[in-house]
Amino acid sequence: MAIVEVRQVSRFFLSGEARIKALDNVDLDIEKGEFTAMVGPSGSGKTTLLNQIGGLDHPDTGTITIEGRSITDLDRKSLTELRLWKIGFVFQEYNLIPVLSAQENVEYVMMLQRVSAKERQLRAKQALAEVGLASMEHRRPMELSGGQQQRVAVARAIVSRPAIVLADEPTANLDSKTGASLLDLMHQLNDQHRITFLFSTHDPMVMERANRVVHLKDGRIAREERKPAMGNLSVSVNSDAESGTA
Ligand SMILES: Nc1ncnc2c1ncn2[C@@H]1O[C@H](COP(=O)(O)OP(=O)(O)O)[C@@H](O)[C@H]1O
Ligand SMILES: [Mg+2]
């Protein structure tokens, strides 16, 4: 069974008189342990698709299941619960809580999960160590660089070992070197713990690190590629036709 099954999902938006088809009958399966990049020009539907899978928005037609459970017909409360336990989110703007330390930001999810204080602390420390921030647990987001903040966001996303981590352009605000090292980190977590990642990107360097690349165009899946694992190799990008997309 796939971790995520997207079936015939469409999503429309009204923009003035126009009706925009942000997603047009999308079918997608994500298997456990996959490390998938979703690419495509701006406006091709990447964010909209991630939002449907993450239960942050509802499709107009079609169904989505997470670990076999339909999320498209869940009530609000059950959906919130499912999101809390099954899905980790990483956003372009990090979305950390500014008044909380790195440690407290990572603990926050576990507070909602009603994990005991002692275990929360232990697991948050472990997660921060895993992302290379062992010595920075007391710093607030403002006292961390962009790359470090995104590492905190990754620690927060993986701390409860969700079924899948969704990341919408996680490297968009990082310089290319920092972005590459963030991707290496995600890949390492994927290798070591078989955490499933689905992320969107414009960045050819980031794309290069994925094992599977799904190309979106005008709200449809235009094509996809699968590659053997690249591990942490710092490969030079052989820019193909896709690298010009913005
Ligand atoms: N809330 C919204 N209201 C109106 N149009 C939207 C909304 N969200 C997305 N769209 C439109 O849907 C299309 C897909 O957008 P999006 O998923 O953000 O693309 P991407 O993330 O690939 O840049 C675009 O044409 C965008 O303008
Ligand atoms: Mg987007």
Side-chain angles (χ1 to χ4, degrees):
M1 179 186 62
I3 295 273
V4 176
E5 286 182 11
V6 176
R7 289 289 175 275
Q8 293 289 297
V9 161
S10 294
R11 181 73 172 105
F12 311 101
F13 293 111
L14 291 176
S15 168
E17 297 291 283
R19 186 163 170 270
I20 296 165
K21 225 175 187 180
L23 293 175
D24 185 4
N25 284 310
V26 170
D27 285 311
L28 180 69
D29 278 13
I30 303 289
E31 304 290 337
K32 182 165 174 58
E34 280 185 342
F35 195 71
T36 306
M38 198 153 58
V39 306
S42 185
S44 57
K46 302 182 296 296
T47 297
T48 306
L49 183 52
L50 285 171
N51 286 348
Q52 312 306 308
I53 295 171
L56 301 173
D57 186 31
H58 279 287
D60 292 300
T61 66
T63 57
I64 296 171
T65 62
I66 308 282
E67 290 186 332
R69 191 159 166 218
S70 169
I71 63 164
T72 22
D73 52 17
L74 284 185
D75 61 51
R76 229 190 149 101
K77 188 160 172 276
S78 317
L79 185 59
T80 304
E81 248 341 80
L82 181 133
R83 265 205 311 260
L84 178 62
W85 290 96
K86 296 292 180 191
I87 302 170
F89 292 95
V90 176
F91 300 95
Q92 185 177 325
E93 318 77 21
Y94 325 132
N95 288 17
L96 300 175
I97 302 171
V99 296
L100 301 183
S101 68
Q103 163 97 16
E104 290 163 341
N105 265 283
V106 178
E107 280 190 40
Y108 185 73
V109 176
M110 294 182 282
M111 253 167 74
L112 299 177
Q113 292 173 335
R114 294 173 289 275
V115 174
S116 75
K118 204 174 157 193
E119 190 177 341
R120 274 195 327 252
Q121 281 174 14
L122 191 78
R123 282 165 55 187
K125 274 194 205 323
Q126 273 171 0
L128 285 168
E130 271 182 319
V131 302
L133 294 178
S135 59
M136 301 192 186
E137 57 203 33
H138 299 302
R139 293 205 195 172
R140 293 196 180 175
M142 261 184 57
E143 299 161 335
L144 296 166
S145 70
Q148 290 166 341
Q149 288 184 59
Q150 198 61 309
R151 282 170 182 261
V152 176
V154 169
R156 178 180 60 182
I158 59 144
V159 72
S160 293
R161 298 289 183 259
I164 187 164
V165 174
L166 303 175
D168 195 6
E169 308 216 22
T171 64
N173 287 328
L174 306 176
D175 64 71
S176 59
K177 195 163 160 254
T178 310
S181 112
L182 187 90
L183 252 289
D184 285 344
L185 167 70
M186 283 164 51
H187 215 151
Q188 195 183 322
L189 295 165
N190 169 256
D191 272 351
Q192 284 172 359
H193 305 296
R194 279 192 88 213
I195 299 175
T196 310
F197 281 88
L198 173 62
F199 54 93
S200 70
T201 186
H202 277 138
D203 184 345
M205 180 111 88
V206 168
M207 212 182 291
E208 195 68 27
R209 283 171 158 75
N211 305 130
R212 179 180 176 199
V213 182
V214 174
H215 297 256
L216 276 188
K217 192 169 180 245
D218 300 329
R220 290 168 162 273
I221 294 179
R223 64 191 173 89
E224 69 166 272
E225 300 144 48
R226 284 171 193 273
K227 313 181 277 189
M230 305 287 297
N232 286 342
L233 287 178
S234 291
V235 290
S236 61
V237 179
N238 99 57
S239 49
D240 59 16
E242 225 63 41
S243 59
T245 58

